[in-house]
Amino acid sequence: MSTCTKADSEVTHPAASAPSTCGVAAYGNVDRPLDRSACVFVAGRRGLVGSAVWRHLAREGFTDLVGPGSEDLDLRERRDVFRWFAAERPDIVVLAAARVGGIKANATRPAEFLSDNLRIQANVLDAALEYGVERLLFLGSSCIYPKFAEQPIREEALLTGPLEATNDAYAIAKIAGIVQVQAVRRQYGRSWISAMPTNLYGPGDNFHPEHSHVLPSLIRRFHEAKESGAPRVVNWGSGTPRREFLHVDDLARACLHLLEHYDADAPVNVGTGTDLTIRELAELVAEVVGYRGSIEWDPGQPDGTPRKLLDVSRLTALGWSPHIDLREGLARTYAWYVENLGSGGLRH
């Protein structure tokens, strides 16, 4: 059991909480370093995002990190989640747990993506409220924004138009999480915040041939084609949609930066501010992998949203910027993929 358990007398009931205004400046800017000895619950600790957040917090000197795996705590089970919070009493929560997948997984299993994510979010957020968590970061997704939002997408675009149909169920769940965080802020004064990452990649990603996102899917496809000597690789869609990609280690840095420097209702976009076409991405992945065959496209398969580039001016105004460029990040990710390919360390 973690050492972070508080005495019952230290837990503040939600109804008794007062709004936190200490240090709040314009546009949500604060300067509020976190106690490195505080108990931090990283929900989804073994996933792509959660594992990166865990690594970064450990490097930054946090000494009491907790993050049970799904075999120990199924976040969809409300009673179990409340029992866990009652026993552990975390001070800070990073909600990175989610059912995630690429365009095919979202399009073919929307009921699971909606139900599982709603349950995970409601259980963790409700338990955090009940057991006095004052600082919480909810991680959403850039898919919350309308399909045809003006580019680059500002946070104010939320709920201004229809969603992309292939991932609307997942997006609705994430939007519900944002609204719940905002509702808790308004009703109970908790310093809870939300961040909306762009497309992520890096060590710990899911490389499943059907259920992964575009970048890890391309890495696997081109690696297998290189190993087998396949003369061509056929990718979904036209290759014309434009996407932005952020290394997950940069996201982890942004998470801690926001927890220490942001306190406001509005979600914050996290990205690089630059994008490229999926065709250009495929060519870059093939180059990094060392595949020399033909790259072809199947326009009969869906493209998804035509473009999805985030406006990251709110985050950069807080003093944050990414450190890892796409080519370097791809090379690191491919090296990790090859290293873990035969060790059982991959999610595929």
Side-chain angles (χ1 to χ4, degrees):
M1 180 175 289
S2 165
T3 59
C4 69
T5 303
K6 304 171 187 171
D8 286 346
S9 61
E10 295 179 293
V11 178
T12 304
H13 191 276
S17 298
S20 173
T21 58
C22 180
V24 177
Y27 306 107
N29 292 17
V30 297
D31 184 11
R32 187 165 54 201
L34 298 179
D35 180 359
R36 267 44 181 175
S37 66
C39 178
V40 183
F41 173 31
V42 182
R45 176 257 187 282
R46 294 182 181 174
L48 170 67
V49 175
S51 60
V53 170
W54 185 285
R55 289 193 303 270
H56 184 64
L57 293 179
R59 284 194 298 266
E60 290 295 312
F62 286 84
T63 58
D64 196 1
L65 302 175
V66 290
S70 58
E71 71 278 8
D72 298 315
L73 177 62
D74 186 342
L75 296 177
R76 297 171 298 181
E77 297 298 327
R78 189 171 182 84
R79 182 177 300 178
D80 294 343
V81 172
F82 271 72
R83 285 175 176 167
W84 186 89
F85 268 82
E88 299 293 340
R89 306 290 174 88
D91 303 296
I92 302 162
V93 173
V94 178
L95 181 42
R99 174 182 284 277
V100 298
I103 188 170
K104 183 174 182 179
N106 274 276
T108 57
R109 294 153 55 200
E112 294 172 42
F113 277 83
L114 181 64
S115 177
D116 285 355
N117 284 300
L118 286 174
R119 284 188 288 162
I120 289 168
Q121 294 165 193
N123 292 343
V124 173
L125 295 174
D126 286 348
L129 181 62
E130 178 68 24
Y131 290 101
V133 173
E134 288 293 337
R135 202 68 176 136
L136 179 146
L137 171 61
F138 170 73
L139 288 164
S141 166
S142 59
C143 73
I144 63 167
Y145 294 116
K147 179 173 183 177
F148 298 109
E150 182 180 351
Q151 304 289 322
I153 307 171
R154 301 173 66 235
E155 289 89 350
E156 290 80 5
L158 182 62
L159 298 176
T160 61
L163 300 166
E164 160 59 40
T166 57
N167 61 13
D168 56 0
Y170 179 74
I172 288 292
K174 287 299 181 180
I175 291 170
I178 297 169
V179 174
Q180 185 169 354
V181 166
Q182 293 173 332
V184 167
R185 289 183 63 91
R186 289 197 302 271
Q187 187 171 348
Y188 299 109
R190 298 292 170 85
S191 294
W192 292 11
I193 57 175
S194 298
M196 301 301 113
T198 190
N199 300 290
L200 301 170
Y201 71 99
D205 212 337
N206 180 359
F207 291 86
H208 191 282
E210 295 183 350
H211 301 151
S212 60
H213 289 105
V214 60
L215 198 152
S217 175
L218 288 172
I219 288 176
R220 175 172 178 155
R221 191 174 302 142
F222 282 117
H223 175 79
E224 291 179 347
K226 182 183 77 169
E227 293 297 298
S228 67
R232 63 178 187 147
V233 169
V234 180
N235 299 306
W236 270 34
S238 65
T240 59
R242 301 187 67 87
R243 293 291 184 270
E244 173 186 23
F245 295 92
L246 179 72
H247 195 281
V248 71
D249 287 347
D250 271 337
L251 172 64
R253 290 179 44 251
C255 288
L256 179 55
H257 191 87
L258 286 168
L259 282 166
E260 296 190 314
H261 297 285
Y262 184 72
D263 188 6
D265 272 358
V268 179
N269 289 338
V270 184
T272 64
T274 59
D275 63 359
L276 76 169
T277 67
I278 298 300
R279 185 181 298 271
E280 290 169 332
L281 176 67
E283 292 169 353
L284 184 57
V285 171
E287 179 183 331
V288 168
V289 169
Y291 176 71
R292 301 290 181 255
S294 173
I295 303 175
E296 300 178 11
W297 299 88
D298 180 2
Q301 299 296 338
D303 272 335
T305 303
R307 191 184 189 195
K308 193 164 61 174
L309 175 65
L310 296 182
D311 181 326
V312 294
S313 57
R314 180 171 290 167
L315 180 57
T316 56
L318 293 169
W320 181 92
S321 61
H323 287 178
I324 305 170
D325 67 36
L326 183 56
R327 182 181 293 273
E328 176 191 355
L330 279 174
R332 291 189 195 180
T333 304
Y334 180 56
W336 182 89
Y337 173 79
V338 172
E339 181 181 349
N340 286 271
L341 191 57
S343 67
L346 292 179
R347 290 192 295 147
H348 56 39

